[in-house]
């Protein structure tokens, strides 16, 4: 993988020191040699350093947000320098793979960049709800099942990370209770985000299910099923 970063601003003088600001952090990089900056005011690209980072590719799906799989590359910044935020141009071999935005990455920090969609994996998300039940206090309980179907149309095994979420209650009046969960999932109780690493064989369909109940006071309006 080859990535190149465009920094928003750079000022270079006789000492060939570049300074770039990102939020509350200032980073200095020394240029590789003497640099001439024209007085026209036009931006000038200056190479500060090069680094080779090991890249690990995998597929990710977030069916609540989009119905396609994304190919993602995970990297660790082993350059010994912080990487500045900005536009990244990505190539796979000699082929241009697209552009992305890279965050500010400290030394030894992990980060990821999207490589684009993967047409060989198709994703469907279905939300099923049971009739609402009322308690003596008027509270309403709704049973909800989220089903994610992953279909691998390729001739090889697809290793995929699946991301989704369930509601999280911030008040004592409302409750969310998970009734059943596919064993591949791990749920973060603070955010409701759950994830799973699955392998789907060639031309195989895999269904993942989460079943929970949502109990709210009678005056609270429930989100439509598509919003879960």
């Amino acid at each position: 993988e080859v990535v190149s970063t465009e920094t928003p601003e750079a000022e270079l003088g006789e000492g060939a020191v570049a300074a770039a600001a990102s939020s509350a952090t200032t980073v200095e990089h020394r240029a590789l040699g003497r640099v001439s900056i024209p007085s026209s005011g036009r931006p000038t690209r200056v190479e500060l350093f090069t680094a080779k980072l090991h890249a690990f590719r995998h597929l990710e799906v977030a069916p609540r947000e989009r119905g396609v799989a994304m190919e993602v590359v995970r990297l660790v910044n082993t350059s010994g320098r912080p990487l500045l935020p900005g536009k990244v141009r990505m190539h796979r071999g000699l082929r241009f793979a697209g552009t992305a935005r890279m965050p500010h990455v400290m030394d030894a920090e992990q980060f990821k960049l999207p490589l684009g969609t993967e047409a060989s994996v198709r994703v469907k998300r279905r939300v099923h709800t049971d009739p609402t039940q009322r308690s003596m206090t008027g509270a309403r309980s709704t049973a909800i099942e989220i089903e994610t179907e992953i279909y691998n149309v390729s001739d090889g095994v697809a290793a995929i990370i699946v991301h989704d979420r369930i509601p999280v209650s911030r008040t004592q009046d409302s409750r969310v209770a998970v009734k059943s969960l596919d064993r591949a999932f791990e749920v973060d109780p603070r955010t409701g985000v759950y994830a799973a690493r699955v392998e789907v064989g060639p031309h195989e369909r895999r269904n993942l299910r989460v079943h929970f109940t949502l109990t709210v006071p009678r005056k609270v309006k429930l989100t439509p099923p598509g919003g879960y």
Side-chain angles (χ1 to χ4, degrees), residues 29-215:
H29 293 296
R30 184 170 297 277
L32 300 179
R34 183 171 179 174
V35 179
S36 297
I37 303 295
S39 59
S40 62
R42 299 182 61 182
T44 301
R45 186 184 301 276
V46 176
E47 182 177 353
L48 301 178
F49 67 93
T50 61
K52 291 185 177 180
L53 309 180
H54 292 290
F56 304 92
R57 293 203 306 268
H58 65 271
L59 298 178
E60 289 192 3
V61 297
R64 187 174 183 269
E65 306 298 332
R66 53 185 178 270
V68 295
M70 295 291 295
E71 190 171 11
V72 176
V73 59
R74 288 184 176 271
L75 307 101
V76 179
N77 180 15
T78 56
S79 67
R81 305 166 180 256
L83 303 179
L84 303 178
K87 183 180 178 181
V88 176
R89 294 189 305 277
M90 308 182 67
H91 299 262
R92 298 176 61 181
L94 299 177
R95 183 168 62 88
F96 179 66
T99 62
R101 299 292 300 180
M102 187 172 72
H104 183 256
V105 183
M106 299 300 295
D107 183 36
E109 184 179 358
Q110 296 186 17
F111 64 104
K112 65 180 181 179
L113 297 169
L115 285 176
T117 59
E118 176 54 60
S120 65
V121 175
R122 301 173 184 175
V123 184
K124 291 183 179 179
R125 184 180 190 266
R126 306 181 186 90
V127 178
H128 310 282
T129 59
D130 287 343
T132 300
Q133 300 177 355
R134 294 181 181 273
S135 67
M136 296 182 62
T137 61
R140 295 172 296 165
S141 295
T142 301
I144 302 166
E145 182 187 63
I146 300 176
E147 178 185 4
T148 301
E149 179 187 281
I150 302 173
Y151 180 28
N152 177 17
V153 301
S154 72
D155 295 328
V157 176
I160 306 169
I161 299 179
V162 183
H163 299 276
D164 211 323
R165 64 178 294 272
I166 60 176
V168 175
S169 175
R170 305 294 184 186
T171 67
Q172 295 181 350
D173 295 335
S174 302
R175 300 187 305 277
V176 178
V178 177
K179 298 300 183 180
S180 63
L181 185 73
D182 192 285
R183 62 181 182 179
F185 283 128
E186 295 182 2
V187 181
D188 184 340
R190 299 170 302 171
T191 62
V193 174
Y194 56 89
R197 297 176 182 268
V198 298
E199 288 190 354
V200 184
H203 306 284
E204 180 186 354
R205 296 179 189 267
R206 176 76 181 271
N207 290 297
L208 304 172
R209 292 180 174 85
V210 175
H211 177 239
F212 62 95
T213 58
L214 179 60
T215 303

